[in-house]
Amino acid sequence: MDQKIRKLLAGECGNYIFPFFWQHGETEEVLREYMKVIAESSIGAVCVESRPHPDFVGEKWWQDMDVILDEARKRNMKVWILDDSHFPTGYANGVLKNADGKLRRQSLTVRSLDCLKSGTEMEFSLESYQKAAPWELNQMEQHMLQGQEWKLFDDDQLISVTAVREGGKTEADILDLSGQIPSGKIVFPVPEGKWQLKFCILTRNRGPHRDYINMMDEESCRVLIDTVYEPHYQHYAADFGTTIAGFFSDEPEIGNGHLYEMGKKIYEIEDQPWSREVEAELKERWGENYHKFLPLIWEQPVDGRLLARVRYDYMDTVTKAVRKDFSFQLGNWCRDHGVEYIGHLIEDNNQHSRTGSSLGHYFRGLAGEDMSGIDDIGGQVLPQGEELPGNSFQMRDGHFYHYVLGKLASSAAAIEPLKKGRSMCEIFGAYGWSEGVQLEKFLLDHFLVRGVNHYVPHAFSAKDFPDPDCPPHFYAHGNNPQYRHFGSLMKYANRMCELISGGTHIAPVAILYQGESDWCSDCMMMQEPAWLLAEAQIEYDFIPSDVFAEREAYRTEIGSTLKVNIQEYQILIVPKYNYIPKAAADGIAEFLKKGGQVFFVEDYPENCCEGMALPEEIRRGICLALPELLPALEKTEVREVKITPANRRLHYLHYKEETDRYLFVNEDHADYTGEIYMEKKGDCYAYNPWENRLEKLFAKETEEGTLLSVTIEPLKPLVVIFDKAEESLHEPLTLSGTKTALSENWKRSLCRSIDYPAFQKEKRITLPDALAEEEPLFSGFVRYENTISCKKGESLLLEISKAAEGVEVFVNGVSAGIQIAAPYRYDLSGLMKEGKNELRIEVATTLEREMSQHPDPMLAMMGIKPVPTSESGITGMVYIEK
């Protein structure tokens, strides 16, 4: 029998959950209480978030950490530490406010001047071009940075003056006039054609986080280690690698442009990141007069191949510096000190391959971390939200969130040896108080079926209730009615993560990552082919061009299949990228020569990013239109799962370790009933991860594989294990006979979570209940009481068709367990006695209705007045089957 299944059935499971535990300088009593309630939520670790703490790395901080670590040791828990006092990571606890200017962030800006007509001579002073244009706050910055003051530097430097001919195709159309800068003026006889002068100016007076470390400067990044990491080691060296698991970087950024400026290509941002190392590398690549090419980082009226080469070299330099100076410097320090380094960058709406609020390249930005990482907070993934638009405050690319986000994490975890198959998602935060365990379960299953196997729930806040900061909060000093239901969800999460850790997920298709192509020009976003595959149940990973350029690091082997670390791909898909790196082009050509299959969507690339022509062998790959991709894939042997009837929202994960395990998740709003064909043969059974038991499957072995007849309900995944069961298999719990509605004679009573179990307001009601209309501001527990009769030896099943939202059923005062997904089904046979029995159903609501009376600062900024939409109590029917 599968040893993981044997272990789970015995109640043994590792911990894969480490929620944010926000610190505000609370009392020792509160800190100990919170460590207790986190541990009692079936969670074996915390990530201590310092963001709101008043004395980070000060005396009060060490006092609080002493308490947290003491509780962690007592409870055999692990502690992760968020690595800065302000969000995002890079503030270095404010040390750079008074540091040498060379350690600070620096920006490259450009100003333009139209030249006179050809044949005339321009002569003018450079006095007005010595400084960068003033930086003006946008609407987001006006709200979030109000009252903030920055040190102003007077070291702006004009580093280049370049003349660019419109329509230019070669370097001869770019003239370097920088040698005239020392004279203080420019003299330029305008050649034939239409010309512009470009003035590139360095400044430290740009950006919303100019007191943060420079991610492309090794010495600057070291400041974060010296300020945060080293003091923790000095205080707790004995705990490193035992109680202290490691450090967490939260959304580190390069930081040019405006705060959370999204939707812009790199060359559309008004200023570009700069550092001493970037300058030195560009000199190495472009020569001493490197600066003549700098204006081409922005959009210019010259040949696209010339632009692509400059932008590629520049961004390749920037992202490799981030990888070396920030990601690996922090990661190597952690590993040298016996702990690990994790976190995530901002991925939203394709920002993962851009600068500004992210790090320019998803894989390079996280290269030094021991797990891959993403986050899902604030309404990114939503039920049936693949095409839902954003709003005036937040743009939203539903295809990115549903078909790329989770796969970025599981892909990096699988192809990078350092990650050891481990991926992490920060989850649940900032969805608001309307988010309860049902939405949380949807989100969790969404990322589980995409292969993510560690989670950082956001958040346990120890601040006095109500804390308006990015709800929901899972305990809220006892005010969250769903605290125990959340604990049951975490127990489920750990079991599921156990099943998809330690092995490999099977993904026969690789999609080339968009990063380098996105830098160079307009390109197809990789979610376009990804959504077709996902909705047709064809598994895929994203792979960066670096798997070809750095084969040893990725353990890449090219044959008739493409092997990257522990993954093996039969097919490579290249979306419509105008430019790809030469290493990728050469690797693809080699793959095709050795019999590999490559599909180019819409067109072949035009050129290599570096300016060289593509290898001729590239055209051995099949070029097809996007709508032709799936039919072409159907003709290959790539499909291992087929469902009938088709359903775009049924997703699966094939995970292989000791046995083959399949996870099927229905993300639709209705049941899926049909047949699932799998190539795999052999004995199989279902594992019910919520009830932790084995169940029978309706399976038939065919000549080609296995055919399952299934009904998969929303929020109730099907886990199929190909294995011989040693234990008896349960029948799946369904009401198949004649069921009787128990709609009358219910006594309903209410209590707030903090007052439990002091129920009040008893009332006789008939189901379905209209509690939300009667008590529009009530949040808490709703108790329903009735009696049912049972004959000796009689079996009895109970079903609650709909409730909002966490349910616990009691028979004669004994709990039959917690459930959070409708329909809620219970086998009550073992709890019934002959004659009359007391039936009690307790439903936990969300906190949304009560909290609608308290202003939400984020919604207020967006001009939105909250109107509660959450339902309350049993909004469906209760059925009995004997």
Side-chain angles (χ1 to χ4, degrees), residues 105 107 207-208 254-259 261 266 269 271-273 355-357:
R105 292 182 174 176
S107 293
I254 288 178
N256 59 305
H258 287 281
L259 194 63
E261 186 174 47
I266 288 161
I269 300 176
D271 63 274
Q272 305 295 343
T355 58
S357 59

Side-chain angles (χ1 to χ4, degrees), residues 27 72 244 266 278 370 440 474 598 623 628 636 648 844 853:
T27 65
I244 294 178
I266 288 161
V278 167
D370 292 283
E440 288 165 357
F474 310 122
V598 181
C623 184
E628 298 170 339
T636 71
R648 64 179 289 210
Q853 304 168 82

Side-chain angles (χ1 to χ4, degrees), residues 536-732:
Q537 293 80 43
I538 297 174
E539 269 286 73
Y540 56 91
D541 282 340
F542 298 110
I543 63 169
S545 294
D546 287 342
V547 304
F548 299 107
E550 301 167 8
R551 298 191 189 186
E552 186 175 343
Y554 282 93
R555 300 174 184 169
T556 302
E557 298 177 23
I558 299 178
S560 60
T561 61
L562 176 60
K563 296 180 181 178
V564 184
N565 195 28
I566 59 174
Q567 299 299 101
E568 185 171 4
Y569 306 107
Q570 301 171 38
I571 291 174
L572 174 64
I573 292 175
V574 182
K576 188 180 185 305
Y577 296 158
N578 294 331
Y579 304 94
I580 59 174
K582 185 176 189 307
D586 290 343
I588 292 169
E590 182 182 346
F591 184 41
L592 285 164
K593 280 195 285 187
K594 292 182 176 178
Q597 299 181 81
V598 181
F599 291 111
F600 293 92
V601 181
E602 299 293 350
D603 203 350
Y604 297 103
E606 295 176 18
N607 225 20
C608 293
C609 298
E610 301 91 333
M612 304 82 130
L614 295 165
E616 280 299 318
E617 290 83 1
I618 284 284
R619 295 190 174 270
R620 292 186 183 182
I622 298 171
C623 184
L624 37 67
L626 186 61
E628 298 170 339
L629 179 59
L630 276 183
L633 289 173
E634 293 289 356
K635 296 176 183 177
T636 71
E637 298 179 357
V638 73
R639 182 183 288 284
E640 61 163 0
V641 165
K642 192 168 188 175
I643 69 168
T644 308
N647 187 297
R648 64 179 289 210
R649 293 192 173 115
L650 188 66
H651 301 287
Y652 90 99
L653 174 73
H654 179 187
Y655 200 82
K656 190 172 182 64
E657 194 181 6
E658 181 183 346
T659 59
D660 287 271
R661 305 168 190 147
Y662 291 82
L663 169 61
F664 295 92
V665 171
N666 176 10
E667 294 186 354
D668 213 338
H669 53 77
D671 295 356
Y672 174 81
T673 298
E675 291 184 329
I676 299 176
Y677 163 77
M678 291 179 285
E679 288 184 344
K680 182 69 181 174
K681 290 184 180 182
D683 294 331
C684 59
Y685 53 80
Y687 171 67
N688 185 326
W690 190 269
E691 301 293 343
N692 193 27
R693 69 184 185 193
L694 309 185
E695 295 180 347
K696 295 179 181 177
L697 282 170
F698 296 99
K700 180 175 69 175
E701 190 168 302
T702 68
E703 289 186 8
E704 294 82 18
T706 301
L707 192 64
L708 303 180
S709 297
V710 302
T711 293
I712 305 176
E713 297 168 325
L715 302 184
K716 297 185 179 182
L718 170 66
V719 180
V720 178
I721 311 293
F722 276 86
D723 182 25
K724 191 178 289 290
E726 294 179 5
E727 301 203 4
S728 58
L729 301 178
H730 293 78
E731 293 285 349

